[in-house]
Amino acid sequence: MAQGGPGDPAATSSDHVSLARHPLDPLGAGEISQAVAIVRRERPVTPDARFVSVGLHEPAKTQIAFADSADASRAGGADDASQAAGAGEPAAAAAAVPREAFIVLMEPQQHMLYEAVVSLTAGSVVSWRPVPGARGPVTPDEYAECERVTRADARVQAGLERRGITLPQQVLVEPWGIGTFTAAQEAGRRVVWTLLFYREKPEDNPYAKPVHGLHAIVDLDDMTVLRVEDLGVVPLPPGSGAYAADRVGPLRDGLKPLEILQPEGPSFEVSGWEVRWQRWRLRLGFTAREGLVLHTVGYEDGGKVRPVIWRASVAELFIPYADPRPFQGWRNAFDVGEYGIGIMANSLELGCDCLGDIRYLDVELADSGGEPYKIPQAICLHEEDFGLLWKHFDAERQTAQTRRRRRLVVSFIVTAGNYDYAFYWYFHQDGTIEFEVKLTGIVLTSALEPGETSEFGTVVAPRTLAAHHQHFLSVRLDMAVDGLRNTVYEVDSGAVPSGPGNPLGNAFRPVKRPLRRESQAQRVIDPLRGRYWLVANPGSRNGLGQEVGYKLVPGSNVLAFSHPDAPITQRAAFATRHLWVTPFQPDERFPAGDYPNQHPGGAGLPAWTEADRAIEDTDIVLWYTLGSHHIARPEDWPVMPTERIGFALKPAGFFDHNPALDVAPGPSPHC
Ligand SMILES: [Cu+2]
């Protein structure tokens, strides 16, 4: 990666001249080191400081060419000069954008979190801000340290011995966010609580042997076990939960080879972090907290790149559990805010996660000492045949026109303790963008007494209970449909009242209602009315004279069941609605607030939207809550077959006709 001296991060190697950084490119390893060195030099950072993240401080929209060209492109007479600096082109102006890092670090002795903005261009700290009361997320090093101190604690070891476990090094310790469930004496501390699982043999599935009723409360700043709670022994379940190929007995056969061959390579081009495929242009990014980020997603139409999305990411991932018993009722996780899903990303070289002619992108992050490290092959790009794109058979002439659908897949996969999430953005030739999550991994277990059952979980193996739970993702969609000024409409279809306007009783029609203020834009799905949300650009018309738009089409979805006054509802208020719309503010990034760890709630969307700001014909952000309802099945054990949830963004008047008319037949010889 480019490594420059202070003040000139990308200019030391001639190799990088042709690949000059785009202002939205993630920081490289050299830039991470440089940013950390600058903040250490200019601010009183102690040797004990723990870095939560060192990433790109994204430039303002006005500094990126996409916005300039976007608003000119269709609404107000594009001029060629601004269009030349369209999506994806690091224009001359882009080189002048100062390169900045955003750093979050914790000083454990001060129990204080700091945010810093560092200019790599100027070689100095631009801003330095303590955030009193903020409890930073659990860093990977703290996760490992917490496991070590918990295993070494005499009270924990005594509890393990009461359960017949004499090898604490084979106990898996999971630090979980404690939310508001701290005791009075823990006020002001940065605390987690633990779930313990036992590996009888080192290669065993630990979730098959939940250590029931034994929990440590650990101060992460001091890295000490504050207290150990023992609710009483429930024997370890007998099963092994084995799922590896060499442990599950005879494997089925009968599958003949299925090869995806692309002898001329994939049809997409990757240049740095920019991707071009068919008419799509987009840039990729990656953060420790959100993982994969999409930037400046546009569609080439009539020689111009028309913006669709400014930025998209998974901004929170929240998992509430149903079991009300002591400690079990504490189980919930904010995987983005309490840990960070970027740092959980798999290296996809270690499996067979994508198929076909694949291009991977490595990502670089900072460890808690501020040292850069690489996750090789964290992002996967590939193409898939996805069945039929469109077809018509002219029966009279006995001829058919048929087109195959190909899609570009951009994905990454994370492992959050027991669970694995695979995230996919799909780009289609007809202008559709889809987002899908495949949920897999191992369900969270607790042990049962012989004969015991529970209405709050499913017995998935002898004396093994998998608790009912849900998964809620908040997908932040900073939209830019043909430019930054957009209006969101809720569109419901309904019957027309009986009477002269509907004499036969068949009439129905969509009713389109603009969401003008934030208070009107906190909505839930309504599948029986075919509800969707249309993001339109009032300043841009298609060839039919209609406002151009993209519609958000929900897939299956659910809402949480926690009571309105429950602590968890307060902390995850974003999950009480499927759609929120806010006016764009660069610092409004996370729906449960910047630091959800131990936060009592109310931050993020509920706080911002109290101002009830106007959201009409302006730069808006959609927050879509995507829920998966998980009543575990025995078939989910010992590793669950993927479950899928998602939504689509479809052009609705964005084009004048089917934009995939120009897709050529073939080229498959079988077609
Ligand atoms: Cu689940």
Side-chain angles (χ1 to χ4, degrees), residues 229-266:
E229 302 283 344
D230 193 336
L231 307 179
V233 175
V234 175
L236 294 171
S240 79
Y243 55 87
D246 58 352
R247 305 259 327 254
V248 295
L251 300 174
R252 68 172 82 174
D253 55 16
L255 283 188
K256 298 190 168 49
L258 188 156
E259 310 260 354
I260 311 287
L261 296 176
Q262 295 185 272
E264 296 171 36

Side-chain angles (χ1 to χ4, degrees), residues 253-319:
D253 55 16
L255 283 188
K256 298 190 168 49
L258 188 156
E259 310 260 354
I260 311 287
L261 296 176
Q262 295 185 272
E264 296 171 36
S267 324
F268 55 82
E269 289 169 45
V270 183
S271 167
W273 292 85
E274 193 212 15
V275 181
R276 297 180 184 208
W277 178 79
Q278 293 284 285
R279 307 215 178 279
W280 287 107
R281 302 265 200 100
L282 57 142
R283 304 197 66 85
L284 305 181
F286 199 89
T287 73
R289 183 161 176 170
E290 303 153 284
L292 177 66
V293 177
L294 304 181
H295 294 289
T296 56
V297 178
Y299 193 93
E300 239 183 287
D301 181 26
K304 293 170 185 165
V305 176
R306 299 176 60 196
V308 179
I309 302 175
W310 185 271
R311 189 186 191 280
S313 70
V314 176
E316 194 50 87
L317 169 53
F318 161 61
I319 303 99

Side-chain angles (χ1 to χ4, degrees), residues 349-427:
E349 63 188 346
L350 299 175
C352 338
D353 305 293
C354 306
L355 207 57
D357 201 326
I358 294 159
R359 294 290 180 273
Y360 292 108
L361 291 178
D362 302 340
V363 301
E364 285 168 317
L365 301 172
D367 70 15
S368 44
E371 290 293 320
Y373 70 98
K374 183 185 282 190
I375 305 177
Q377 305 191 173
I379 302 172
C380 174
L381 289 151
H382 74 292
E383 284 176 286
E384 285 176 356
D385 179 283
F386 196 56
L388 204 55
L389 173 58
W390 58 261
K391 168 170 185 161
H392 185 62
F393 173 61
D394 185 326
E396 202 168 334
R397 296 181 56 229
Q398 292 285 301
T399 60
Q401 287 284 331
T402 306
R403 300 292 184 274
R404 295 293 297 175
R405 184 185 283 268
R406 186 96 58 98
R407 65 183 184 183
L408 171 70
V409 187
V410 186
S411 65
F412 78 116
I413 303 180
V414 310
T415 301
N418 56 305
Y419 231 74
D420 301 75
Y421 298 89
F423 302 95
Y424 301 85
W425 290 98
Y426 301 117
F427 297 88

Side-chain angles (χ1 to χ4, degrees), residues 588-657:
E588 294 182 0
R589 292 270 298 275
F590 301 105
D594 287 346
Y595 300 103
N597 192 15
Q598 291 185 260
H599 198 285
L605 281 169
W608 306 327
T609 56
E610 239 166 50
D612 198 17
R613 296 166 294 187
I615 50 170
E616 200 174 9
D617 192 14
T618 189
D619 187 3
I620 49 101
V621 176
L622 260 61
W623 307 76
Y624 184 64
T625 307
L626 179 57
S628 168
H629 187 63
H630 196 173
I631 304 298
R633 305 169 298 154
E635 291 85 349
D636 290 335
W637 187 257
V639 62
M640 75 177 263
T642 51
E643 196 66 41
R644 294 179 302 160
I645 50 169
F647 66 90
L649 290 166
K650 292 180 177 231
F654 192 77
F655 301 105
D656 304 340
H657 52 70

Side-chain angles (χ1 to χ4, degrees), residues 80-95:
D80 287 339
S82 71
Q83 192 57 45
E89 296 296 340

